[in-house]
């Protein structure tokens, strides 16, 4: 099959898939499921894949809500990555319903080339982006070993083909004290809430002395059970972010020291649990630029990538350091609309967002065609990967 014919077929496929894809996007949006609890979304997406002839593996990498759909044979392997987790209480305020539907549409459109496919299309379900690092678990389980390029996108308020992202690790901090009657015998108690307060004050005291691009933000999950009992147990969740993984590990040690100091001062003990470390991001500019060209031709003007300041994090970072990967952004809301907000959630369910998502799916599918049918383009993508480093803020 000629390259032009493949591009034409892929555009037609996106057109044909529009209705069921939009329905699926709305269904996921209306039924938000949090990190690693995305059972319905994973079920709906894998049914969609099976119905269209994909070989489906689920569960994947030890996660019930992870999956891999595959069509074709041999190399190159082009993977579209899907996210579908929502946030507690505010639902799909990160718009992952669009990531899921758009990635699925791109994969299904490329797979519609059937026996003409010179390689393998994979649609990989990567659960738990907001909290549990599903992609990191999959990476460690070898899911991406044979993948030549991984493509996904993220909705937001700006259309830009790449940006940097900070590394992050979640630290759970638990203080253990001694319970006692808060009025009758407080001298016999050791106050785990006092330790927790000291910990947050110590972290705040450190803020002036960390890099401007670093971020420390946490919540107290458990602060005690009754006001007339000296709390013998408290728990907090603290996110530690810095520009690189190394800087994040160094900052994490300082945060742990704050907690150890607070425990010592209050006669309590402290225990820690660390989540997966989300890495900084290495965008493949060759591949992302190509996606941008297609997206522009579909009527979406591009903004310059923002490479300054602190920003959010994603487990695509870890994947992007291992294989060529892209994570472009698609505007579905007016410039400046904050992520993780009620407004962003409502935009992610709007008709306009579904149309924009289909355009992004088409752009990703066209880039997939180029990766499969044009060995020179794939070689360019790979040679950039071999020599480039992560994107870092100026
Ligand atoms: Zn997100
Ligand atoms: Zn998010």
């Amino acid at each position: 099959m000629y390259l032009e014919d493949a591009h034409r077929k892929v555009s037609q496929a996106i057109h044909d898939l529009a209705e069921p894809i939009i329905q699926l996007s709305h269904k996921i949006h209306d039924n938000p499921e949090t990190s690693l609890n995305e059972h319905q979304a994973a079920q709906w997406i894998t049914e969609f894949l099976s119905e269209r002839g994909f070989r489906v593996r689920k569960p994947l990498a030890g996660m019930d809500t992870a999956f891999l759909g595959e069509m074709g044979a041999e190399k190159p392997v082009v993977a579209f990555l899907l996210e579908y987790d929502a946030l507690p209480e505010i639902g799909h305020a990160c718009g992952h319903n669009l990531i899921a539907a758009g990635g699925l549409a791109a994969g299904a459109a490329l797979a519609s080339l059937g026996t003409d496919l010179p390689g393998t299309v994979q649609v990989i379900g990567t659960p738990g982006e907001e909290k549990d690092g599903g992609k990191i678990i999959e990476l460690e389980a070898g899911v991406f070993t044979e993948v030549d390029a991984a493509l996904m996108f993220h909705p937001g308020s700006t259309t830009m083909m790449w940006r940097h992202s900070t590394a992050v690790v979640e630290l759970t901090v638990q203080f253990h004290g001694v319970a006692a009657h808060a009025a009758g015998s407080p001298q016999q108690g050791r106050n785990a809430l006092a330790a927790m307060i000291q910990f947050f004050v110590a972290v705040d005291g450190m803020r002036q002395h960390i890099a401007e691009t670093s971020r420390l933000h946490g919540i107290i999950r458990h602060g005690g059970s009754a006001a007339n009992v000296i709390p013998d147990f408290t728990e907090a969740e603290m996110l530690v972010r810095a520009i690189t993984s190394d800087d994040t590990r160094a900052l994490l040690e300082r945060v742990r020291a704050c907690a150890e100091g607070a425990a010592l001062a209050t006669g309590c003990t402290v225990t820690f649990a660390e989540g997966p470390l989300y890495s900084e991001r290495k965008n493949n500019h060759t591949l992302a630029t190509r996606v941008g060209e297609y997206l522009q031709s579909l009527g979406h003007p591009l903004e310059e990538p923002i490479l300054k300041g602190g920003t959010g994090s994603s487990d695509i970072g870890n994947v992007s350091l291992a294989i060529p990967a892209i994570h472009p952004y698609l505007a579905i809301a007016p410039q400046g609309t904050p992520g993780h907000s009620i407004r962003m959630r409502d935009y992610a369910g709007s008709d306009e967002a579904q149309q924009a998502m289909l355009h992004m799916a088409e752009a990703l599918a066209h880039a997939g065609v180029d990766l499969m049918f044009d060995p020179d383009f794939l070689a360019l993508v790979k040679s950039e990967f071999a020599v480039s480093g992560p994107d870092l803020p100026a």
Side-chain angles (χ1 to χ4, degrees), residues 94 96 129-130 340:
C94 211
H96 292 184
E129 189 278 332
E130 294 288 358
H340 290 194

Side-chain angles (χ1 to χ4, degrees), residues 108-136:
L110 191 53
S112 75
L113 299 176
T115 50
D116 292 322
L117 265 182
T120 305
V121 185
Q122 290 187 344
V123 175
I124 303 179
T126 69
E129 189 278 332
E130 294 288 358
K131 192 166 161 57
D132 295 287
K135 292 182 198 64
I136 302 169

Side-chain angles (χ1 to χ4, degrees), residues 42 154 203 362 393:
H154 202 292
V203 167
E362 190 171 342

